[in-house]
Amino acid sequence: AQKITQTQPGMFVQEKEAVTLDCTYDTSDQSYGLFWYKQPSSGEMIFLIYQGSYDEQNATEGRYSLNFQKARKSANLVISASQLGDSAMYFCAMRGRRDYKLSFGAGTTVTVRA
Amino acid sequence: SQTIHQWPATLVQPVGSPLSLECTVEGTSNPNLYWYRQAAGRGLQLLFYSVGIGQISSEVPQNLSASRPQDRQFILSSKKLLLSDSGFYLCAWSVRSEAFFGQGTRLTVV
């Protein structure tokens, strides 16, 4: 069974600073994919970044980077140079390669302060 | 490019009425398809997922069912809605390193 844990229910960050959102996971699959999403107050789910379990390099997309530590089963999201528009809920998700189930963590609410 | 259509955006239904939410995907073949429900301020609860036509996996036994009559069509249904079925319903598709969501349907059962 898959389990995704996000232990930070809410975080405050100062504008222009970096913030790290924690995500740990548990799976018996050898091959899997990890995703991060942003959900603003409008409700839409915005795909941010993807990391495959066999990818050797940590994924980066603009101001988003994924700190992937496979042995620790950790996939933390780093947002650099925070902007007011980054205020939202952020979800970590995992998809296994055996059954393709896409499961989500509980989410972390980020509030960026001016 | 791939797109996902989910409708309607909002829906108000009386208790005991039927439900049908439809989701269609364009621009990709044989996607994995998902239905989620989200309570206000909470996480996403996986309801159903499908890896192919007619193949449905149910995650939570409840008052809902799902069907996949075509490769890129996923339908969420209920014969009789309950008050507890209220929530934000999201459809998603995934292929390889991509997974995208529809705009969601806010369902209020009154």
Side-chain angles (χ1 to χ4, degrees):
Chain A
Q2 298 173 346
K3 185 176 180 181
I4 298 90
T5 303
Q6 294 180 254
T7 58
Q8 306 152 310
M11 297 183 70
F12 290 94
V13 59
Q14 205 64 31
E15 195 177 11
K16 298 181 184 178
E17 291 185 350
V19 61
T20 298
L21 308 183
D22 296 340
C23 174
T24 58
Y25 58 91
D26 191 20
T27 180
S28 55
D29 285 0
Q30 295 300 310
S31 178
Y32 49 88
L34 297 156
F35 301 79
W36 275 94
Y37 291 86
K38 172 185 177 181
Q39 187 180 41
S41 57
S42 62
E44 63 178 315
M45 290 287 287
I46 301 169
F47 167 72
L48 296 178
I49 198 166
Y50 169 85
Q51 177 85 42
S53 58
Y54 287 111
D55 293 343
E56 294 184 354
Q57 302 278 348
N58 283 346
T60 60
E61 288 288 347
R63 294 187 297 111
Y64 304 107
S65 60
L66 202 152
N67 183 3
F68 180 47
Q69 298 186 45
K70 191 171 182 178
R72 291 187 173 185
K73 293 189 175 178
S74 167
N76 298 340
L77 177 71
V78 180
I79 306 174
S80 62
S82 296
Q83 302 172 357
L84 295 178
D86 293 335
S87 294
M89 198 155 186
Y90 289 81
F91 291 97
C92 177
M94 181 178 69
R95 185 190 63 209
R97 290 287 176 87
R98 278 192 295 176
D99 60 8
Y100 298 98
K101 183 165 65 174
L102 182 61
S103 301
F104 282 77
T108 297
T109 300
V110 172
T111 303
V112 181
R113 291 169 163 161
Chain B
S1 62
Q2 305 92 339
T3 56
I4 179 168
H5 302 282
Q6 183 182 348
W7 67 92
T10 59
L11 192 59
V12 180
Q13 291 284 101
V15 169
S17 64
L19 173 74
S20 181
L21 299 180
E22 188 168 340
C23 173
T24 59
V25 180
E26 295 178 358
T28 187
S29 297
N30 196 29
N32 302 310
L33 298 172
Y34 309 86
W35 277 111
Y36 296 88
R37 179 169 61 201
Q38 185 180 30
R42 306 293 295 273
L44 276 71
Q45 179 188 32
L46 179 61
L47 302 174
F48 302 94
Y49 68 100
S50 171
V51 299
I53 296 173
Q55 301 178 59
I56 308 295
S57 297
S58 174
E59 285 297 293
V60 182
Q62 54 198 330
N63 187 38
L64 301 169
S65 62
S67 62
R68 184 172 178 173
Q70 300 180 43
D71 181 44
R72 288 171 283 181
Q73 183 185 29
F74 205 23
I75 298 171
L76 182 69
S77 304
S78 173
K79 292 182 179 178
K80 289 185 177 182
L81 284 168
L82 306 172
L83 288 174
S84 57
D85 291 325
S86 293
F88 188 47
Y89 288 81
L90 288 152
C91 177
W93 69 267
S94 79
V95 174
R96 292 181 290 278
S97 62
E98 298 176 302
F100 293 95
F101 282 79
Q103 292 299 302
T105 297
R106 294 195 185 276
L107 171 66
T108 304
V109 183
V110 297

